[in-house]
Amino acid sequence: MTKVLQIISHSEEETLALAEKIISLLTPDDLLVLTGELGTGKTVFVRGLARGLGIDEMIVNSPSYTIVNEYPGNRPMYHFDLYRLGDSSELIEIGWDDYLNKNGLVVVEWGERADEFLPNRYYKITFSMMNEKEREIVISLIINE
């Protein structure tokens, strides 16, 4: 694991701006795994990614009950939320491998629930609550050989 960036966000707007800025550094087939407790800013971060891709951030919400939301665009984004995933085998049923092979950014909230299905290379973004307004965001590159 290589830590790429560690930052303290002081507001929701800073979290949105961070995600919007890093989008230019990502390739269309990157996978982002977002981890952290409820309310730490994962979905806010996804809205910032959408804004960076030219997708209306206001349509982005957590796909808690549908598991995946698809946001079309020049560079599409596939947003998973595995919080309510009963069993990791459900990923196969919804076409997990197909999503990983599509030409689009795949973002997974609660991705640690699918460890055995993650590819050898992905970005892990960890969100920690410092206080009511501040969040620590750590972006790491994971390469398993």
Side-chain angles (χ1 to χ4, degrees):
M1 176 171 75
T2 303
K3 190 183 292 184
V4 177
L5 178 68
Q6 180 175 359
I7 192 167
I8 303 297
S9 173
H10 300 92
S11 67
E12 191 171 295
E13 187 53 45
E14 284 187 13
T15 300
L16 284 165
L18 171 64
E20 185 178 10
K21 286 178 184 169
I22 70 162
I23 204 72
S24 65
L25 305 174
L26 300 172
T27 65
D29 58 349
D30 275 332
L31 169 68
L32 306 181
V33 174
L34 312 183
T35 65
E37 296 299 315
L38 288 169
T40 53
K42 295 181 298 296
T43 303
V44 170
F45 191 84
V46 177
R47 286 200 315 261
L49 293 170
R51 186 162 70 182
L53 290 170
I55 298 167
D56 180 5
E57 69 187 85
M58 300 312 293
I59 66 169
V60 174
N61 56 39
S62 189
S64 295
Y65 294 100
T66 59
I67 300 183
V68 63
N69 285 340
E70 297 185 21
Y71 302 110
N74 290 336
R75 213 169 137 196
M77 181 170 68
Y78 308 105
H79 177 199
F80 287 80
D81 185 331
L82 305 184
Y83 183 71
R84 286 181 170 59
L85 189 71
D87 183 274
S88 58
S89 66
E90 290 177 39
L91 289 173
I92 295 168
E93 294 172 22
I94 62 168
W96 172 257
D97 288 334
D98 294 333
Y99 281 103
L100 292 180
N101 292 312
K102 287 185 177 184
N103 189 20
L105 182 66
V106 177
V107 184
V108 186
E109 295 187 46
W110 302 94
E112 64 274 13
R113 294 178 180 223
D115 273 342
E116 67 269 25
F117 292 99
L118 296 175
N120 289 332
R121 183 190 177 280
Y122 62 92
Y123 289 96
K124 179 178 181 182
I125 305 177
T126 306
F127 296 79
S128 304
M129 190 176 297
M130 311 268 306
N131 58 47
E132 191 175 309
K133 293 193 176 203
E134 295 180 321
R135 306 292 189 264
E136 178 185 52
I137 303 170
V138 178
I139 302 174
S140 303
L141 176 60
I142 308 295
I143 301 175
N144 297 313
E145 301 199 22

